[in-house]
């Protein structure tokens, strides 16, 4: 197993970090990439007003998700948990204990590579890992790499070194990026979910008013709540909600906002979901207290209202997007169905359901509800009363029209 180890302050992690990490991952054919925010860096102090360790870890986790490597990329907190200075040799020793049979490669930029001999215990570093150094700018030339490689090979005969230049990499320092963010700029230099986390937490003097976000800023903030697997679903739901809203004359902006936020608490486990329900005094029935899938619509609606100040129509659409209910509003129907039929959904009957939703909205809603009831019954799982009531109300209405 070949594992890449990429450390840094990541204050914040930007597209330059992402581009470099992805390039090295592919060129070295790594099996796994560990991205590790530094706790207390030995070569410099973190700037005053920097995010907390937990916030840097969260941004690093979101950046790792944006690599598109799934579980092969992981953010670790091993340096943040360690007291005192964060030395790379100590980190590599710990990773070696975690993966004793793995081949380790330490990723770094040009500046770090050119000063590697001055690091703490450089011999230990070369014993434990190969070095993968990348040039970030056009000025990073092979001539610089060659001189340093020759010196390191001579001084450390067991060294393994791989160097590359990454054309088109984002050329910006973290200091410059922090200044841009404070001035209301720099969003295009960050992975969207990382930018969303910065806005959500008010980092780098962004001071965004979460209750008055336009759609362009609500989208990255919403993505910052998600894991990498859910992002395509949420963006697909937004696009499906737009199409359905246009087809049936609903408010497109409201449909988009509800779609972006509908799964904002999906990542939480049952314990954390229930804790939020207690904190916000959300009344639950006996089935909701046991079914994790049902809770995220309750807590997500509260987030939409309390954190983002969304309109009651949007809050209600999020509240009912999982179970449905009798007498659903137009927006509630659209969000329920957009979540059900968005482009990444693939299950028997989905194409028929998609066609039905654009021919007859209530007919599509009834079809979706009946498919849910059939699936849950086949699995021997309990069905929420709101789903049954929604189905029965639509069936009664359809029967009345037929009669």
């Amino acid at each position: 197993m070949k594992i890449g180890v990429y450390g840094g302050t990541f204050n914040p992690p930007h597209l330059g970090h992402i581009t470099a990490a992805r390039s090295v991952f592919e060129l070295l054919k790594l099996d796994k990439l560990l991205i590790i925010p530094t706790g207390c860096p030995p070569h410099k102090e973190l700037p005053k007003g920097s995010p907390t360790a937990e916030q840097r870890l969260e941004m690093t986790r979101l950046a790792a998700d944006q690599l598109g490597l799934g579980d092969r990329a992981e953010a670790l907190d091993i340096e943040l948990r360690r007291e005192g200075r964060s030395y790379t040799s100590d980190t590599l020793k710990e990773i070696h204990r975690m993966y004793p049979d793995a081949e380790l490669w330490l990723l770094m930029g040009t500046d770090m590579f050119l000063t590697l001999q001055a690091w703490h215990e450089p011999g230990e570093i070369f014993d434990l890992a190969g070095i993968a150094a990348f040039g970030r700018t056009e000025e990073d030339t092979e001539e610089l790499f060659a001189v340093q490689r020759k010196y390191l090979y001579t001084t450390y005969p067991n060294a393994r070194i791989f160097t590359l230049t990454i054309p088109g990499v984002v050329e910006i320092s973290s200091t410059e990026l922090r200044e841009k963010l404070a001035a209301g700029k720099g969003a295009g230099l960050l992975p969207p979910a990382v930018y969303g986390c910065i806005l959500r937490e008010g980092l780098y003097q962004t001071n965004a008013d979460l209750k008055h976000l336009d759609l362009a800023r609500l989208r990255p903030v919403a993505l910052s709540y998600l894991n990498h697997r859910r992002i395509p679903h949420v963006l697909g739901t937004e696009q499906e909600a737009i199409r359905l809203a246009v087809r049936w004359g609903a408010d497109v902006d409201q449909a988009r906002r509800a779609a972006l936020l509908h799964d904002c608490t999906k990542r939480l486990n049952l314990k954390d979901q229930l804790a939020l329900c207690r904190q916000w005094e959300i009344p639950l029935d006996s089935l909701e207290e046991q079914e994790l899938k049902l809770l995220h619509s309750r807590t997500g609606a509260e987030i939409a209202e309390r954190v983002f100040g969304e309109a009651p129509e949007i809050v209600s659409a999020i509240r009912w997007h999982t179970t449905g209910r009798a007498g659903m509003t137009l927006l509630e129907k659209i969000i329920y169905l957009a979540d059900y039929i968005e482009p990444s959904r693939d299950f028997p009957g989905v194409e028929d359901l998609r066609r039905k939703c654009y021919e007859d909205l209530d007919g599509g809603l009834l079809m979706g509800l009946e498919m849910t009831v059939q699936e849950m019954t086949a699995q021997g799982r309990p069905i929420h009363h709101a789903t049954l009531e929604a189905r029965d109300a639509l069936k009664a209405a359809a029967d009345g029209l037929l009669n």
Side-chain angles (χ1 to χ4, degrees):
M1 186 183 208
K2 295 174 69 174
I3 298 178
V5 180
Y6 190 14
T9 55
F10 300 123
N11 188 23
H14 52 67
L15 291 179
H17 297 127
I18 296 298
T19 304
R22 183 68 196 233
S23 296
V24 175
F25 186 93
E26 293 173 350
L27 287 169
L28 282 180
K29 295 181 169 54
L30 299 176
D31 299 295
K32 193 172 184 65
L33 179 62
L34 304 177
I35 307 179
I36 304 173
T38 303
C40 186
H43 57 287
K44 61 181 178 180
E45 298 292 335
L46 290 174
K48 185 178 180 180
S50 289
T52 65
E54 290 76 16
Q55 289 168 330
R56 282 195 297 122
L57 178 65
E58 175 66 3
M59 287 191 291
T60 305
R61 184 194 67 78
L62 291 168
D65 281 352
Q66 298 291 291
L67 282 164
L69 299 173
D71 294 335
R72 293 179 295 168
E74 181 181 359
L76 295 185
D77 64 351
I78 57 177
E79 292 200 3
L80 299 176
R81 289 186 282 103
R82 186 185 304 147
E83 295 182 359
R85 294 290 179 182
S86 296
Y87 292 116
T88 298
S89 58
D90 294 334
T91 299
L92 290 174
K93 290 172 188 175
E94 187 167 349
I95 294 173
H96 179 66
R97 288 192 292 270
M98 295 166 60
Y99 300 96
D101 298 322
E103 176 185 328
L104 303 183
W105 284 88
L106 182 64
L107 281 61
M108 63 182 66
T110 304
D111 291 345
M112 297 294 100
F113 179 60
L114 296 179
T115 60
L116 185 53
Q117 65 273 16
W119 288 21
H120 179 70
E121 297 181 333
E124 291 282 346
I125 292 173
F126 286 112
D127 286 342
L128 292 164
I131 305 300
F134 46 84
R136 290 180 173 175
T137 69
E138 296 300 325
E139 289 76 25
D140 293 332
T141 65
E142 173 57 25
E143 182 178 354
L144 284 174
F145 287 142
V147 172
Q148 179 69 342
R149 276 199 310 266
K150 181 178 179 180
Y151 170 80
L152 293 175
Y153 281 139
T154 302
T155 309
Y156 306 98
N158 62 330
R160 292 171 292 131
I161 301 171
F162 175 84
T163 58
L164 71 157
T165 300
I166 306 173
V169 72
V170 176
E171 299 180 10
I172 186 169
S173 73
S174 294
T175 300
E176 292 171 341
L177 180 52
R178 291 192 293 270
E179 292 171 353
K180 285 181 176 290
L181 289 168
K185 303 175 182 179
L189 299 169
L190 294 160
V194 173
Y195 180 56
C197 180
I198 290 169
L199 293 179
R200 174 162 54 88
E201 297 291 323
L203 305 178
Y204 310 116
Q205 304 175 56
T206 48
N207 301 319
D209 181 358
L210 297 183
K211 291 186 182 294
H212 296 91
L213 292 177
D214 57 23
L215 276 164
R217 293 198 295 170
L218 178 64
R219 183 178 294 102
V221 173
L223 297 183
S224 75
Y225 282 95
L226 309 173
N227 63 38
H228 67 277
R229 295 186 187 89
R230 190 144 300 273
I231 287 177
H233 164 70
V234 168
L235 294 179
T237 301
E238 180 193 11
Q239 294 307 306
E240 199 70 53
I242 292 171
R243 289 191 287 270
L244 285 169
V246 170
R247 172 66 179 87
W248 298 109
D251 186 305
V252 173
D253 281 355
Q254 286 194 341
R256 295 178 71 181
R257 299 180 79 89
L260 286 169
L261 292 171
H262 82 282
D263 275 354
C264 64
T265 60
K266 187 79 171 184
R267 182 172 91 181
L268 301 181
N269 59 30
L270 181 62
K271 179 181 178 181
D272 290 340
Q273 292 278 7
L274 291 173
L276 280 181
C277 291
R278 287 192 296 270
Q279 176 185 337
W280 290 331
E281 298 181 344
I282 301 173
L284 302 175
D285 59 38
S286 58
L287 183 56
E288 288 172 327
E289 289 176 346
Q290 303 172 45
E291 287 289 332
L292 178 60
K293 185 176 180 180
L294 297 177
L295 289 173
H296 80 281
S297 60
R298 306 299 307 273
T299 53
E302 290 290 326
I303 291 282
E305 180 177 12
R306 292 171 181 267
V307 176
F308 297 102
E310 296 295 343
E313 299 88 344
I314 294 172
V315 173
S316 185
I318 296 171
R319 162 71 178 87
W320 296 107
H321 84 269
T322 300
T323 62
R325 69 177 178 113
M328 293 173 76
T329 66
L330 177 59
L331 184 61
E332 290 169 4
K333 294 174 184 178
I334 284 171
I335 298 305
Y336 180 92
L337 289 171
D339 177 46
Y340 213 137
I341 66 171
E342 56 87 7
S344 71
R345 296 291 198 191
D346 183 18
F347 54 86
V350 68
E351 291 300 333
D352 292 337
L353 179 57
R354 287 185 177 122
R355 283 192 293 271
K356 188 68 172 178
C357 288
Y358 285 91
E359 295 168 358
D360 174 6
L361 187 64
D362 281 353
L365 181 60
L366 176 57
M367 185 176 177
L369 290 163
E370 288 184 325
M371 291 172 75
T372 296
V373 171
Q374 291 168 6
E375 180 184 7
M376 300 288 281
T377 300
Q379 295 175 358
R381 297 174 60 190
I383 305 165
H384 195 268
H385 66 85
T387 301
L388 297 173
E389 291 163 5
R391 180 202 61 180
D392 293 346
L394 286 168
K395 286 181 68 174
D399 290 343
L401 288 175
L402 291 174
N403 295 330

